[in-house]
Amino acid sequence: MGISDRTDGAYGRPGPTTVVAPGTTVKGDIHSIGGVHVDGEIEGNVEAKSYVIVAKGAVIHGDVHAAEVYLGGIVIGDIWALEVERYGTGICHGTIEAFKINEHGKKE
C-alpha cells in the first residue's frame, strides 16, 4: 500500500490518496482522511472522508463508507455514500445506500 500527497482535486475532492496497487492484498480496515484508490484487494472495511475508487479488477471484502464511491470492481459487502458512480464492470454483493446512484455502461 502506498500513500501519495495528491492534492490535484481528483474526483472533486482534494487531499491525500491511499493507493492499493495491483497484485497487493491488504488485510485489515483502512481509514483515510482523503481518498482511497483500490487496484488490488482489501480484506477489511474501507472508510474515507472523501472518495473510494474500486477499479476494474479490484476486490474489497468488507463494507465501504465514503462521500463518493466509484465502483468499477467488486465489493463483497455494503456501500454507504452520498454518491455512487457504478460502471458496467462494477458489482456490489450487498446493499448500496446513497443519496444518488449513477449507472454508467450498464447493460439493459
Side-chain angles (χ1 to χ4, degrees):
M1 174 172 62
I3 298 176
S4 66
D5 290 323
R6 292 196 310 198
T7 56
D8 58 358
Y11 299 94
R13 305 279 186 198
T17 300
T18 300
V19 179
V20 179
T24 302
T25 300
V26 174
K27 295 183 180 185
D29 296 342
I30 294 178
H31 302 274
S32 173
I33 62 168
V36 177
H37 186 125
V38 182
D39 285 309
E41 184 173 355
I42 297 175
E43 296 177 8
N45 300 318
V46 178
E47 182 178 339
K49 295 277 184 193
S50 188
Y51 60 87
V52 173
I53 299 169
V54 186
K56 181 179 178 182
V59 180
I60 296 176
H61 301 270
D63 297 335
V64 176
H65 298 253
E68 300 170 359
V69 175
Y70 300 87
L71 183 60
I74 299 171
V75 173
I76 302 169
D78 298 329
I79 297 174
W80 290 277
L82 296 175
E83 186 171 351
V84 174
E85 298 283 338
R86 184 173 174 201
Y87 298 91
T89 56
I91 298 170
C92 178
H93 293 289
T95 301
I96 298 176
E97 292 189 29
F99 286 108
K100 185 176 181 183
I101 300 174
N102 296 312
E103 301 276 346
H104 303 279
K106 183 177 178 185
K107 294 181 180 179
E108 301 283 327

